[in-house]
């Protein structure tokens, strides 16, 4: 068993070394600013909602609030997105949705984030309004028009369709890949 643990530690250390090299290649200073993130994601021409969403993602990843994503924050975000437990992911989603930081998500906040995601992914099916209506019909049991963290987590966990929708909509793998691999490569169409 000791040999297995050692081998697993080596793989994890090698993986961390790989992530660090990629991060430092794209950000030699060891820090990513909001402007650099938007440049990496090629945000020119994106809607205001999409830009606001990237701002919110950035500020959520910037855990110490210093205006930069450093390597530790980056690895924490990557780890959460790729390996995090469902409760951790739901808490992160909630923080992302709660744009005004009041501890509750109203329908406008949720709609703004989903619209921004759709603008970035260029996938508009199902429509934002349908998604938000479905979530609030099933999860807002008090019919207050806003969700607390507890309501959001319990409601999402109790409804598999909502969990699947959130997982699909909130998948930031493409954003993380762009950060790790650099700016999007131009795709040449076959002639």
């Amino acid at each position: 068993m000791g040999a297995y643990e050692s081998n697993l530690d080596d793989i994890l250390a090698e993986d961390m070394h790989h992530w660090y090299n990629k991060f430092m290649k794209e950000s030699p200073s060891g820090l990513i600013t909001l402007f650099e993130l938007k440049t990496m994601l090629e945000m020119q021409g994106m809607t205001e909602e999409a830009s606001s969403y990237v701002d919110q993602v950035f500020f959520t990843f910037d855990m110490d609030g210093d205006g930069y994503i450093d390597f530790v924050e980056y690895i924490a975000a990557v780890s959460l997105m790729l390996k995090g437990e469902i409760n951790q992911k739901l808490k992160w989603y909630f923080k992302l949705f709660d744009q005004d930081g009041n501890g509750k998500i109203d329908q406008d906040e949720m709609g703004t984030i989903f619209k921004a995601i759709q603008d970035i992914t260029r996938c508009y099916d199902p429509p934002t309004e349908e998604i938000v209506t479905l979530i609030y019909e099933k999860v807002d049991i008090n019919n207050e028009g806003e969700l607390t963290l507890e309501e959001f987590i319990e409601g999402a966990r109790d409804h598999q369709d909502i969990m699947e929708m959130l997982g699909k909509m909130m998948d930031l793998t493409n954003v993380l890949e762009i950060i790790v691999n650099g700016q999007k490569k131009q795709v040449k169409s076959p002639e």
Side-chain angles (χ1 to χ4, degrees), residues 13-43:
E14 187 176 307
D15 194 37
M16 186 70 69
H17 183 72
H18 170 77
W19 283 106
Y20 181 76
N21 285 338
K22 290 281 196 178
F23 182 86
M24 292 306 291
K25 181 180 176 190
E26 288 304 315
S27 298
S29 69
L31 302 170
I32 297 175
T33 65
L34 178 58
F35 177 78
E36 290 169 329
L37 178 61
K38 287 184 175 185
T39 300
M40 285 180 199
L41 298 174
E42 297 182 355
M43 293 295 297

Side-chain angles (χ1 to χ4, degrees), residues 114-130:
F114 282 142
K115 172 91 172 74
I117 292 168
Q118 289 179 331
D119 287 344
I120 291 170
T121 62
R122 309 255 195 294
C123 178
Y124 298 94
D125 187 39
T128 299
E129 299 77 27
E130 281 184 31

